[in-house]
Coordinates of all heavy atoms in Angstrom, one line a residue:
F1 N -4.1 1.4 28.8 CA -3.0 1.0 27.9 C -1.7 1.3 28.4 O -1.4 2.4 29.0 CB -3.2 1.6 26.5 CG -4.3 1.1 25.7 CD1 -5.4 1.9 25.4 CD2 -4.3 -0.2 25.2 CE1 -6.4 1.4 24.7 CE2 -5.3 -0.7 24.5 CZ -6.4 0.1 24.2
T2 N -0.8 0.4 28.3 CA 0.6 0.7 28.6 C 1.3 1.3 27.4 O 0.8 1.2 26.3 CB 1.3 -0.5 29.1 OG1 1.4 -1.5 28.0 CG2 0.7 -1.2 30.3
M3 N 2.5 1.8 27.5 CA 3.2 2.4 26.4 C 3.5 1.3 25.4 O 3.5 1.5 24.2 CB 4.5 3.0 26.9 CG 5.3 3.7 25.9 SD 4.4 5.1 25.1 CE 4.8 6.3 26.2
L4 N 3.8 0.1 25.8 CA 4.1 -1.0 24.9 C 2.9 -1.4 24.1 O 3.1 -1.6 22.9 CB 4.6 -2.2 25.8 CG 5.0 -3.4 24.9 CD1 6.2 -3.1 24.0 CD2 5.4 -4.6 25.9
E5 N 1.8 -1.4 24.7 CA 0.6 -1.7 23.9 C 0.3 -0.6 22.9 O -0.1 -0.9 21.7 CB -0.6 -1.9 24.8 CG -0.6 -3.2 25.6 CD -1.6 -3.2 26.7 OE1 -2.0 -2.2 27.2 OE2 -2.1 -4.3 27.0
A6 N 0.5 0.6 23.2 CA 0.2 1.7 22.3 C 1.2 1.7 21.1 O 0.9 1.9 20.0 CB 0.3 3.0 23.0
L7 N 2.5 1.4 21.4 CA 3.5 1.3 20.3 C 3.2 0.1 19.4 O 3.4 0.2 18.2 CB 4.9 1.2 20.9 CG 5.4 2.5 21.5 CD1 6.8 2.2 22.2 CD2 5.6 3.5 20.5
L8 N 2.8 -1.0 20.0 CA 2.5 -2.2 19.2 C 1.3 -1.9 18.3 O 1.3 -2.3 17.1 CB 2.2 -3.4 20.1 CG 1.9 -4.7 19.4 CD1 3.2 -5.1 18.6 CD2 1.6 -5.8 20.4
T9 N 0.3 -1.2 18.8 CA -0.9 -0.8 18.0 C -0.5 0.1 16.8 O -0.9 -0.1 15.7 CB -2.0 -0.2 18.8 OG1 -2.3 -1.1 19.9 CG2 -3.2 0.2 18.0
L10 N 0.4 1.1 17.1 CA 0.9 2.0 16.1 C 1.7 1.3 15.1 O 1.5 1.6 13.9 CB 1.7 3.1 16.8 CG 2.2 4.2 15.9 CD1 1.0 5.0 15.3 CD2 3.1 5.1 16.7
F11 N 2.5 0.3 15.4 CA 3.3 -0.5 14.5 C 2.4 -1.3 13.6 O 2.6 -1.3 12.3 CB 4.2 -1.4 15.3 CG 5.0 -2.3 14.4 CD1 6.1 -1.8 13.6 CD2 4.7 -3.7 14.3 CE1 6.8 -2.7 12.8 CE2 5.4 -4.5 13.5 CZ 6.5 -4.0 12.8
V12 N 1.4 -2.0 14.1 CA 0.4 -2.8 13.3 C -0.3 -1.8 12.3 O -0.5 -2.2 11.1 CB -0.5 -3.6 14.2 CG1 -1.6 -4.2 13.3 CG2 0.3 -4.6 14.9
L13 N -0.8 -0.7 12.8 CA -1.5 0.2 11.9 C -0.6 0.8 10.8 O -1.0 0.9 9.7 CB -2.0 1.4 12.8 CG -2.8 2.4 12.0 CD1 -4.1 1.8 11.5 CD2 -3.1 3.6 13.0
T14 N 0.7 1.0 11.1 CA 1.6 1.5 10.1 C 1.9 0.5 9.0 O 1.9 0.8 7.8 CB 3.0 1.9 10.8 OG1 2.7 2.9 11.8 CG2 4.0 2.4 9.8
I15 N 2.0 -0.8 9.4 CA 2.2 -1.9 8.4 C 1.0 -2.0 7.5 O 1.1 -2.1 6.3 CB 2.5 -3.2 9.2 CG1 3.8 -3.1 9.9 CG2 2.5 -4.4 8.2 CD1 5.0 -3.0 9.1
G16 N -0.2 -1.8 8.1 CA -1.4 -1.9 7.3 C -1.5 -0.7 6.3 O -1.8 -0.9 5.1
V17 N -1.2 0.5 6.7 CA -1.2 1.6 5.8 C -0.2 1.5 4.7 O -0.4 1.8 3.5 CB -1.0 2.9 6.6 CG1 -0.8 4.1 5.7 CG2 -2.2 3.2 7.5
L18 N 1.0 1.0 5.0 CA 2.0 0.8 4.0 C 1.6 -0.3 3.0 O 1.9 -0.1 1.8 CB 3.4 0.4 4.7 CG 4.1 1.5 5.4 CD1 5.3 1.0 6.1 CD2 4.5 2.6 4.4
G19 N 0.9 -1.3 3.4 CA 0.4 -2.3 2.5 C -0.6 -1.8 1.6 O -0.6 -2.1 0.4
V20 N -1.5 -0.9 2.1 CA -2.5 -0.3 1.2 C -1.9 0.6 0.2 O -2.2 0.7 -1.0 CB -3.6 0.4 2.1 CG1 -4.5 1.3 1.2 CG2 -4.4 -0.6 2.8
A21 N -0.8 1.4 0.6 CA -0.1 2.3 -0.3 C 0.6 1.5 -1.4 O 0.6 1.9 -2.5 CB 0.8 3.2 0.5
G22 N 1.2 0.4 -1.0 CA 1.8 -0.5 -2.0 C 0.9 -1.0 -3.0 O 1.2 -1.1 -4.2
L23 N -0.3 -1.4 -2.6 CA -1.3 -1.9 -3.5 C -1.8 -0.8 -4.4 O -2.0 -1.0 -5.6 CB -2.5 -2.5 -2.7 CG -2.3 -3.8 -2.1 CD1 -3.5 -4.2 -1.2 CD2 -2.1 -4.9 -3.2
Q24 N -1.9 0.4 -3.9 CA -2.3 1.6 -4.8 C -1.3 1.8 -5.8 O -1.6 2.1 -7.0 CB -2.5 2.8 -3.9 CG -2.9 4.0 -4.6 CD -4.3 3.9 -5.2 OE1 -5.1 3.2 -4.7 NE2 -4.6 4.7 -6.2
I25 N 0.0 1.8 -5.5 CA 1.1 2.0 -6.5 C 1.1 0.9 -7.5 O 1.2 1.2 -8.7 CB 2.4 2.1 -5.7 CG1 2.5 3.4 -4.9 CG2 3.6 2.1 -6.7 CD1 3.7 3.5 -4.0
Q26 N 0.9 -0.3 -7.1 CA 0.9 -1.4 -8.0 C -0.3 -1.3 -9.0 O -0.2 -1.6 -10.2 CB 0.8 -2.8 -7.3 CG 0.9 -4.0 -8.2 CD 2.2 -4.1 -8.9 OE1 3.2 -3.6 -8.5 NE2 2.2 -4.7 -10.1
G27 N -1.4 -0.9 -8.5 CA -2.6 -0.7 -9.3 C -2.4 0.4 -10.3 O -2.8 0.3 -11.5
M28 N -1.8 1.5 -9.9 CA -1.5 2.6 -10.9 C -0.5 2.1 -12.0 O -0.7 2.5 -13.2 CB -1.0 3.8 -10.1 CG -2.0 4.5 -9.3 SD -1.3 5.8 -8.3 CE -0.8 7.0 -9.6
R29 N 0.5 1.4 -11.6 CA 1.4 0.8 -12.6 C 0.7 -0.1 -13.6 O 1.0 0.0 -14.8 CB 2.5 0.1 -11.8 CG 3.8 0.1 -12.5 CD 4.9 -0.6 -11.7 NE 5.4 0.3 -10.6 CZ 5.8 -0.1 -9.5 NH1 5.8 -1.3 -9.2 NH2 6.2 0.8 -8.6
S30 N -0.1 -1.0 -13.1 CA -0.8 -1.9 -14.0 C -1.8 -1.1 -14.9 O -1.9 -1.5 -16.0 CB -1.6 -2.9 -13.1 OG -0.7 -3.7 -12.4
G31 N -2.4 -0.1 -14.4 CA -3.3 0.7 -15.2 C -2.6 1.4 -16.3 O -3.1 1.5 -17.4
G32 N -1.4 1.9 -16.0 CA -0.6 2.6 -17.0 C -0.1 1.6 -18.1 O -0.2 1.9 -19.3
M33 N 0.2 0.4 -17.8 CA 0.6 -0.6 -18.8 C -0.6 -1.0 -19.6 O -0.5 -1.2 -20.8 CB 1.2 -1.8 -18.1 CG 2.6 -1.5 -17.5 SD 3.4 -3.0 -16.8 CE 3.5 -4.1 -18.1
A34 N -1.8 -1.1 -19.0 CA -3.0 -1.5 -19.7 C -3.3 -0.4 -20.7 O -3.8 -0.7 -21.8 CB -4.1 -1.7 -18.7
M35 N -3.1 0.9 -20.3 CA -3.4 2.0 -21.2 C -2.4 1.9 -22.4 O -2.9 2.1 -23.6 CB -3.2 3.3 -20.5 CG -3.6 4.5 -21.4 SD -3.3 6.1 -20.6 CE -1.5 6.1 -20.5
Q36 N -1.2 1.6 -22.2 CA -0.2 1.5 -23.3 C -0.6 0.4 -24.3 O -0.6 0.6 -25.5 CB 1.2 1.3 -22.8 CG 1.8 2.6 -22.1 CD 3.2 2.3 -21.6 OE1 3.6 1.2 -21.5 NE2 3.9 3.4 -21.3
R37 N -1.0 -0.7 -23.7 CA -1.5 -1.8 -24.6 C -2.7 -1.5 -25.4 O -2.8 -1.9 -26.5 CB -1.7 -3.1 -23.7 CG -0.4 -3.7 -23.2 CD -0.7 -5.0 -22.4 NE 0.5 -5.5 -22.0 CZ 0.7 -6.1 -20.8 NH1 -0.3 -6.2 -20.0 NH2 1.9 -6.6 -20.5
T38 N -3.6 -0.7 -24.8 CA -4.8 -0.3 -25.5 C -4.4 0.6 -26.6 O -5.0 0.5 -27.7 CB -5.8 0.3 -24.5 OG1 -6.1 -0.6 -23.5 CG2 -7.1 0.8 -25.2
I39 N -3.5 1.6 -26.4 CA -3.1 2.5 -27.4 C -2.5 1.7 -28.6 O -2.8 2.0 -29.8 CB -2.1 3.5 -26.8 CG1 -2.8 4.5 -25.9 CG2 -1.3 4.2 -28.0 CD1 -1.8 5.4 -25.1
V40 N -1.6 0.7 -28.3 CA -1.0 0.0 -29.4 C -2.1 -0.8 -30.1 O -2.0 -0.9 -31.4 CB 0.1 -1.0 -28.8 CG1 0.5 -2.0 -29.8 CG2 1.3 -0.2 -28.3
L41 N -3.0 -1.4 -29.4 CA -4.1 -2.1 -30.1 C -4.9 -1.2 -31.0 O -5.2 -1.6 -32.2 CB -5.0 -2.8 -29.1 CG -6.1 -3.6 -29.6 CD1 -5.6 -4.8 -30.4 CD2 -7.0 -4.1 -28.5

């Protein structure tokens, strides 16, 4: 591997991890709203 290939791989991996973290945060937010709606019901 050259340095460029290693950096490109690291960049793609970082984008993937950030995407998964964003999905996790969105899921927690939606779960909280669903809990509030359930309480009101």
Side-chain angles (χ1 to χ4, degrees):
F1 286 113
T2 63
M3 182 63 85
L4 181 61
E5 289 171 330
L7 287 175
L8 185 60
T9 303
L10 185 64
F11 176 74
V12 170
L13 183 65
T14 303
I15 295 297
V17 168
L18 286 175
V20 170
L23 284 174
Q24 180 70 21
I25 290 171
Q26 184 65 28
M28 290 176 65
R29 207 176 285 147
S30 296
M33 289 181 63
M35 183 184 69
Q36 288 179 344
R37 288 183 179 141
T38 302
I39 288 170
V40 168
L41 181 65

